[in-house]
Amino acid sequence: WAADGRAIGQPDYLTRSMHLFGIETEYGITREDLDAVDPVEESMELVRAHLPGKFERRWDYRGEDPHEDARGFRVSGLQQDKEEDDFAKVDAHRPFSFHEMKSDLVLPNGARFYNDHTHPEYSTPECRTLKDLLAHDRAGERIVQRAADRRNQQLGGAHVQLYKNNTDFHGHSYGCHDNYLVSRSLPFAQLVSGLLPFLVSRQLMAGAGKVGMEAQESGFVPGPFQISQRADFMEAELGVDTMHNRPILNTRDEPHADRTKYRRLHLILGDANMCEYATALKVGTTRLVLDMLQRGEAPSLELEQPVAAIKQLSRDPDLKTTVRLKDGRTISGLAIQEEYWNVASRCCAGSDPDTDWVLREWQETLGALRQDRTQLVGKLDWVTKQWLLETFMREERLAWEDPWLASLDLEYHNVNPDRGLFLGLEAEGKTWRMTSERDIAQALVAGPSDTRGGLRGLCVRRFPEQITGMQWERVQFSGGLRARTLEMGDLFEPDAVQACAALLEAAASPADALAAWSRRRDG
């Protein structure tokens, strides 16, 4: 490591381009007019309701391989492979091809919207700033709800409801995955040891809150309130699986970029947040911890049992629980977060406006959690939900075991503005906002101008009929030749992105744009 904290020999382009992140959200879906819901078909129909007509913009799955493990090997099989095979047998009776069932869309804002078998999933475009990420995450809520509105028009009633949460209260969990571009020069073992304690305790800021406890084997057990919805479903420290034996730190090595330079950190442990503040802290603090690790900095913390710890911390909203470190010490979740803040404030302060905002708000949030968490109502989801439920319990004289509370828990996450409890608070001005309605409206129609997500959306807007295939890192146009492909595996510098966008805007055809882009890069 060099004196300035960078890995020795690390090129400057890696330092400049590292701040990229995105969120993938799987939405819970139900039909209130049916006793038994087929989530596969309902998810497919919902996505297809977004764009009536033929689905021509197919996602190219050839670049995806979930069997590659970041620990340096390729697994021969995943537990979820058998489930996928079982799904295929069940789905064989359906009159749809694989692509029709996926109903994969790349939207004009560079996002991806598709059916992840039993859940509609919205993936934001790659973002460089927290405000852009929040705007695109909120745009996703609007897009899935608009699709539900169109679907309900077809059905003749407000039957389809969507939930931005992580549990159906029947033992099933679905994910909200935050993703980060990371330099491959950072050894993966160092990434793991530095990140695990932070991730286990991150729920204190980013938990969505939940009534009761839950497991895939035993289902839902009514009971006291806890901090996180996903903590109950974490079963391993590390692993490449995502649906079984879920790991705190997912090891899938699918960079969607130049593999020699980058890796993608794909985190599946996080809750889906309604509060913009919680989303900003979740992603912003994680990004800072990754910066710390890249500089060779990390607190000296190693948990004895991370899987047990993440559950123990979640089940104590009073924040008094301590967990054991491998060196024999015990420490609270708040103290873990304070250790990480101390290091981040020393080595990262002044890097950019987002960093300074995160450091300030991170510190203030930890202080409020210690002293007066009512300051965080409308900012952190678990605090907001606990306040709502406790207020209702006092008025109705209910206990935590009352099934009414699980129903209210679910409605907190409803993205229908006429039903959602959080959205009701937001409409009353009782929540913290970083985005404006104008920001969200812009995110509905265009991606960030300084990332390749914006380029992907621009291609959809300018040349929709000529697109034959898309992945995160490339767009293929009709012609089938190399000259007909926009390669974006290392296209991360804002100046280069904007130069490419200018050529796409001005060109009469994809071929013209790609030829001009090739001349610029070669010259």
Side-chain angles (χ1 to χ4, degrees):
W1 299 93
D4 66 357
R6 291 189 299 111
I8 294 174
Q10 178 183 318
D12 286 342
Y13 65 77
L14 287 176
T15 305
R16 294 194 303 268
S17 63
M18 285 294 99
H19 284 198
L20 286 175
F21 31 70
I23 296 177
E24 306 163 327
T25 304
E26 299 173 12
Y27 284 81
I29 185 169
T30 192
R31 282 271 300 273
E32 294 187 331
D33 60 325
L34 298 177
D35 292 331
V37 178
D38 181 345
V40 177
E41 189 158 342
E42 290 303 327
S43 296
M44 183 192 77
E45 293 293 352
L46 180 94
V47 175
R48 295 172 74 84
H50 171 79
L51 185 67
K54 292 181 66 178
F55 278 69
E56 299 292 348
R57 294 196 292 275
R58 291 180 176 176
W59 191 259
D60 186 349
Y61 287 89
R62 288 175 296 177
E64 299 186 7
D65 187 355
H67 294 78
E68 290 291 337
D69 196 297
R71 290 168 287 185
F73 55 85
R74 187 177 190 280
V75 297
S76 58
L78 301 172
Q79 292 187 50
Q80 64 205 51
D81 289 343
K82 182 180 184 302
E83 187 169 285
E84 292 290 345
D85 290 341
D86 292 341
F87 283 155
K89 293 175 183 176
V90 172
D91 292 338
H93 76 280
R94 304 181 193 275
F96 309 110
S97 69
F98 171 82
H99 287 289
E100 286 173 327
M101 288 186 61
K102 283 290 188 182
S103 299
D104 244 305
L105 289 173
V106 180
L107 306 182
N109 66 354
R112 184 183 176 196
F113 184 32
Y114 72 110
N115 168 28
D116 191 13
H117 200 263
T118 58
H119 298 277
E121 180 165 334
Y122 181 88
S123 301
T124 71
E126 301 90 326
C127 297
R128 194 178 298 276
T129 68
L130 292 174
K131 187 173 183 179
D132 274 351
L133 182 68
L134 292 175
H136 280 278
D137 187 48
R138 299 303 303 274
E141 295 173 15
R142 307 291 175 87
I143 286 168
V144 298
Q145 182 57 40
R146 287 179 184 179
D149 291 341
R150 294 190 184 106
R151 176 70 174 139
N152 282 328
Q153 287 176 358
Q154 298 168 2
L155 296 172
H159 303 311
V160 174
Q161 298 295 324
L162 295 168
Y163 301 92
K164 191 185 182 189
N165 75 333
N166 305 100
T167 173
D168 63 357
F169 292 97
H170 294 286
H172 303 117
S173 182
Y174 33 97
C176 177
H177 307 162
D178 43 318
N179 298 272
Y180 306 84
L181 187 69
V182 180
S183 170
R184 202 168 279 272
S185 66
L186 175 62
F188 190 71
Q190 189 171 326
L191 176 69
V192 170
S193 63
L195 201 55
L196 266 179
F198 169 78
L199 293 177
V200 166
S201 55
R202 188 181 74 168
Q203 60 185 303
L204 272 62
M205 299 177 294
K210 183 170 80 171
V211 175
M213 294 185 293
E214 200 167 9
Q216 192 164 331
E217 298 79 16
S218 58
F220 175 67
V221 179
F225 186 83
Q226 63 172 306
I227 292 171
S228 169
Q229 295 201 341
R230 285 286 272 181
D232 281 342
F233 296 93
M234 294 298 108
E235 302 168 273
E237 294 179 30
L238 303 174
V240 71
D241 270 293
T242 57
M243 294 191 293
H244 297 276
N245 201 30
R246 292 184 179 95
I248 296 171
L249 204 158
N250 184 247
T251 58
R252 178 184 295 183
D253 193 5
E254 205 172 55
H256 301 316
D258 185 334
R259 178 175 290 275
T260 65
K261 300 174 185 175
Y262 307 104
R263 71 170 83 249
R264 176 181 62 120
L265 180 64
H266 178 64
L267 297 177
I268 70 167
L269 84 157
D271 290 2
N273 294 109
M274 300 299 293
C275 289
E276 291 188 8
Y277 190 85
T279 300
L281 276 186
K282 175 173 69 177
V283 174
T285 56
T286 306
R287 181 66 267 172
L288 279 192
V289 172
L290 293 172
D291 285 352
M292 289 161 43
L293 299 180
Q294 194 69 49
R295 296 167 185 262
E297 302 276 359
S300 181
L301 301 169
E302 195 170 0
L303 293 168
E304 186 175 79
Q305 295 182 317
V307 176
I310 198 170
K311 294 177 170 63
Q312 290 165 357
L313 294 179
S314 178
R315 293 170 185 175
D316 178 25
D318 293 330
L319 309 183
K320 295 178 180 178
T321 292
T322 59
V323 294
R324 184 173 294 276
L325 302 177
K326 283 189 176 180
D327 63 11
R329 292 181 293 156
T330 58
I331 189 170
S332 70
L334 275 174
I336 292 173
Q337 284 293 310
E338 287 164 348
E339 291 268 3
Y340 276 92
W341 180 87
N342 286 332
V343 177
S345 63
R346 185 180 71 246
C347 71
C348 300
S351 302
D352 56 72
D354 266 2
T355 294
D356 291 340
W357 181 89
V358 171
L359 286 171
R360 181 179 67 253
E361 300 301 324
W362 190 0
Q363 182 184 35
E364 291 186 3
T365 296
L366 296 178
L369 286 171
R370 279 198 182 278
Q371 298 169 7
D372 181 14
R373 71 181 62 171
T374 61
Q375 301 173 44
L376 300 172
V377 172
K379 298 176 98 175
L380 299 189
D381 283 294
W382 75 268
V383 175
T384 306
K385 185 187 290 183
Q386 186 181 36
W387 167 75
L388 274 174
L389 294 178
E390 287 180 343
T391 300
F392 185 77
M393 290 166 65
R394 285 193 299 269
E395 293 175 352
E396 299 294 332
R397 298 181 181 181
L398 303 177
W400 281 114
E401 289 75 18
D402 195 294
W404 201 349
L405 296 180
S407 298
L408 291 175
D409 187 331
L410 188 62
E411 287 306 311
Y412 176 90
H413 300 272
N414 197 320
V415 293
N416 182 338
D418 296 329
R419 298 245 320 237
L421 298 183
F422 173 83
L423 294 180
L425 288 176
E426 186 174 74
E428 295 172 2
K430 295 180 179 178
T431 65
W432 181 94
R433 294 285 300 269
M434 180 182 282
T435 68
S436 66
E437 288 303 307
R438 183 176 180 180
D439 295 327
I440 298 172
Q442 176 63 21
L444 285 166
V445 297
S449 63
D450 56 358
T451 78
R452 68 183 189 183
L455 290 179
R456 201 163 45 246
L458 179 58
C459 289
V460 171
R461 298 195 304 275
R462 287 282 288 120
F463 307 113
E465 301 303 321
Q466 292 99 318
I467 294 173
T468 59
M470 302 189 82
Q471 297 174 338
W472 294 109
E473 64 269 37
R474 66 180 55 88
V475 181
Q476 297 163 307
F477 297 99
S478 53
L481 303 175
R482 187 176 182 82
R484 301 289 195 232
T485 301
L486 175 61
E487 294 286 355
M488 301 185 292
D490 60 356
L491 186 50
F492 298 123
E493 285 295 324
D495 289 347
V497 168
Q498 289 163 1
C500 185
L503 295 175
L504 286 166
E505 286 278 18
S509 69
D512 290 346
L514 293 173
W517 178 237
S518 180
R519 289 194 297 271
R520 185 187 186 281
R521 300 194 87 173
D522 292 343

